[in-house]
């Protein structure tokens, strides 16, 4: 059994929801350090949220195939905050009851759970929790309307692919992703090689980490000795493009898969 002091800690950088990753790492004898590099802030302007809610309500009287597509749990949470959870849940439930043409899709299990809390049923999930897989799944369906709440820096993978396939795509910004300021304290430890690895779960966290390096006069070339574990190919590509060292891209983005990757990586280099 490995002991925590035998391996340097693993840095977790996502805005929230790090507890699952931390518990999975601890279960494998690894020590996590949680220090978010990005924060999720509900949009200051509710106009997009209200417009998407109106489109959802209108779907109840439409025979056109309509999908509410959830690409993140944060988007659903912030959308509900802007229009009111009960208001959004009532609109969704009424539209779904009125029209069998309204269907639901989510990028992964946690996002599907958030949709279900609003009253969605029979939520469709891709085999792999990624935007690309979600888009490919939907493109196998007849083209229709897609309602997609998202963030200010959300990837355009799903809306762009659906639009190219002839869908009518309705997007709206319901939250903003911002880099944490001042630079998180863990940046100094990253530069000093005090972590055995850093976990990135989104391109936004990669960009914020690189921005933090830049703010102290450094670049990814100065931390090439720091292995990164990336949840998904899109995040890995962002890390590689930035010049970071991508050591592992688990086949699934679950907490257990991330922790297994960290254990395999660190056991192999210890």
């Amino acid at each position: 059994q490995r002991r925590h002091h035998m391996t340097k800690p693993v840095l977790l950088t996502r805005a929230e929801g790090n507890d699952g990753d931390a518990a999975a790492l601890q279960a494998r004898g690894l020590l996590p350090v949680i220090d978010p590099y990005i924060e999720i802030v509900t949009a200051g302007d509710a106009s997009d949220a209200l417009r998407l809610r109106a489109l959802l309500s209108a779907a109840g009287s439409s025979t056109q195939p309509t999908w509410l597509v959830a690409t993140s749990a944060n988007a659903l949470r912030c959308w509900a905050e802007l229009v009111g959870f009960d208001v959004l849940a009532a609109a969704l439930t009424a539209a779904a009851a009125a029209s069998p043409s309204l269907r639901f899709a989510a990028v992964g299990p946690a996002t599907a759970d958030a949709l279900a809390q609003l009253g969605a049923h029979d939520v469709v999930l891709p085999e792999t929790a990624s935007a690309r897989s979600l888009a490919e799944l939907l493109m196998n369906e007849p083209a229709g309307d897609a309602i997609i709440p998202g963030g200010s820096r959300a990837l355009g993978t799903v809306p762009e692919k659906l639009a190219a396939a002839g869908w009518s795509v309705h997007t709206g910004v319901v939250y903003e992703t911002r880099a944490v300021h001042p630079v998180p304290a863990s940046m100094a430890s990253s530069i000093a090689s005090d972590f055995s690895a850093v976990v990135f779960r989104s391109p936004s966290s990669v960009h914020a980490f690189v921005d933090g390096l830049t703010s102290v006069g450094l670049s990814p070339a100065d931390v090439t000795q720091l292995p990164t574990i990336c949840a998904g190919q899109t995040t890995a590509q962002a890390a590689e493009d930035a010049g970071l060292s991508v050591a592992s891209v688990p086949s699934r983005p679950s907490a257990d898969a991330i922790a297994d990757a960290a254990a395999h990586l660190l056991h192999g280099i210890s």
Side-chain angles (χ1 to χ4, degrees):
Q1 168 123 20
R2 295 177 63 81
R3 298 179 182 277
H4 287 162
H5 68 263
M6 293 175 64
T7 304
K8 296 175 183 178
V10 177
L11 176 62
L12 304 176
T13 60
R14 71 195 304 193
E16 52 196 35
N18 288 294
D19 291 346
D21 289 347
L25 288 168
Q26 289 172 328
R28 290 155 179 80
L30 301 174
L31 179 65
V33 169
I34 297 173
D35 198 8
Y37 276 67
I38 56 175
E39 58 182 354
I40 304 298
V41 181
T42 302
D45 183 351
S47 57
D48 276 7
L50 293 170
R51 175 175 54 82
L52 294 183
R53 197 272 301 158
L55 288 168
L56 180 61
S57 294
S61 57
S62 173
T63 57
Q64 171 85 354
T66 302
W67 288 78
L68 174 55
V69 182
T71 57
S72 82
N74 285 322
L76 295 175
R77 174 179 59 80
C78 293
W79 190 18
E81 286 181 10
L82 287 166
V83 304
F85 182 91
D86 292 341
V87 171
L88 183 57
L92 186 155
T93 303
S99 175
S101 298
L102 176 61
R103 300 181 66 187
F104 307 98
V107 69
T111 307
D113 288 345
L115 258 181
Q117 289 172 16
L118 287 166
H121 54 81
D122 300 326
V123 179
V124 175
L125 289 164
E127 287 189 15
T128 303
S130 72
R132 182 179 298 276
S133 295
L134 177 59
E136 290 172 352
L137 180 151
L138 291 170
M139 287 163 63
N140 287 325
E141 299 287 339
D145 289 313
I147 300 170
I148 311 177
S152 57
R153 298 175 67 176
L155 297 173
T157 305
V158 174
E160 288 170 7
K161 284 185 173 293
L162 293 182
W167 289 58
S168 296
V169 179
H170 310 278
T171 60
V173 173
V174 296
Y175 71 89
E176 297 179 10
T177 303
R178 302 174 183 170
V180 170
H181 292 292
V183 176
S186 61
M187 177 56 72
S189 299
S190 299
I191 296 166
S193 300
D194 289 339
F195 294 112
S196 57
V198 57
V199 175
F200 292 121
R201 280 191 164 274
S202 69
S204 295
S205 58
V206 170
H207 298 151
F209 186 85
V210 173
D211 288 347
L213 286 171
T214 303
S215 72
V216 295
L218 298 175
S219 74
D222 296 298
V223 292
T224 54
Q225 78 290 345
L226 178 63
T228 69
I229 299 169
C230 297
Q233 292 295 338
T234 304
T235 300
Q237 189 62 56
E240 289 178 356
D241 291 347
L244 295 171
S245 174
V246 177
S248 181
V249 186
S251 58
R252 295 174 293 110
S254 67
D256 281 334
I258 292 290
D260 283 342
H264 178 76
L265 173 67
L266 302 182
H267 291 180
I269 65 175
S270 59

